[in-house]
Amino acid sequence: MTVREVRLYGDPVLNTRADEVTEFDPALERLAQDMLETMEHAGGVGLAANQIGLTQRIFVFDCSHYQHGLRGAIVNPVWEAVGEETELGTEGCLSIPDISLPTERFSTVRVRGNDVYGRSVALVASGLMARCVQHETDHLDGILFLQRLSPQRRKEAMKDIRQSSWFAAQKA
């Protein structure tokens, strides 16, 4: 397994919609393992393929510290809200270091997709797992959580990003 480089804000791949996965083979299983290792190394609870430069519709998650046993990968995810209740929760992103802001998400979602072997998976998630499903699927659609912020919070976040050392280093 390999820890991959996490792409940072400003990289065009983060604004690219990922393609459906059509081949469920050992390479996809290895990719999921690499993504889990990369996510763990970076200290995250979720990671989408385009965050490591690949435009494939797969994300990994590990909410096991918060919700028992929820760790794995979802390929070709599609989610829908269960009810209309939303919640404001602090959200960050491995591709946007040191920025964590209140972000509104649906409280409960139903997600369907496949595992890395092509088997159908479906689950109803709430709390951190629901937030993770929405955040990572957004990545696969080329959407960053900054786009989910209020205009004022987005403006503040952009100022912080422009002043960050990691963003300045990327521009050099």
Side-chain angles (χ1 to χ4, degrees):
M1 288 174 265
T2 305
V3 171
R4 310 265 188 119
E5 177 188 354
V6 175
R7 302 295 180 94
L8 298 177
Y9 178 82
D11 189 316
V13 74
L14 296 173
N15 301 109
T16 303
R17 187 184 190 286
D19 300 320
E20 299 291 319
V21 172
T22 57
E23 291 193 36
F24 294 85
D25 56 14
L28 184 64
E29 186 179 357
R30 280 191 305 278
L31 172 61
Q33 291 303 319
D34 286 356
M35 289 174 65
L36 282 165
E37 189 169 321
T38 300
M39 177 191 67
E40 289 169 2
H41 182 262
V45 295
L47 183 75
N50 47 354
Q51 288 183 273
I52 58 167
L54 302 174
T55 55
Q56 297 179 48
R57 289 191 77 76
I58 177 175
F59 74 80
V60 296
F61 59 92
D62 185 352
C63 298
S64 61
H65 298 316
Y66 308 95
Q67 295 170 308
H68 181 67
L70 291 176
R71 175 185 163 87
I74 300 179
V75 181
N76 300 329
V78 175
W79 68 267
E80 61 186 359
V82 176
E84 296 179 20
E85 186 179 340
T86 62
E87 60 187 23
L88 200 60
T90 302
E91 202 165 304
C93 181
L94 296 177
S95 294
I96 311 171
D98 306 321
I99 304 292
S100 295
L101 292 163
T103 307
E104 188 171 18
R105 298 282 186 180
F106 286 101
S107 300
T108 305
V109 298
R110 178 178 297 110
V111 63
R112 291 181 173 83
N114 301 96
D115 66 13
V116 296
Y117 307 105
R119 298 178 297 213
S120 293
V121 295
L123 64 99
V124 174
S126 59
L128 180 63
M129 187 63 195
R131 184 167 294 280
C132 184
V133 165
Q134 293 169 82
H135 180 106
E136 301 309 330
T137 304
D138 269 356
H139 271 299
L140 298 177
D141 290 335
I143 298 168
L144 297 173
F145 90 101
L146 299 173
Q147 294 165 263
R148 302 286 183 204
L149 300 175
S150 69
Q152 182 59 36
R153 283 198 176 110
R154 186 178 316 120
K155 184 177 178 181
E156 292 166 10
M158 293 307 301
K159 179 181 177 190
D160 291 344
I161 289 169
R162 284 190 296 276
Q163 294 174 349
S164 70
S165 58
W166 61 265
F167 189 70
Q170 201 174 353
K171 294 292 181 188

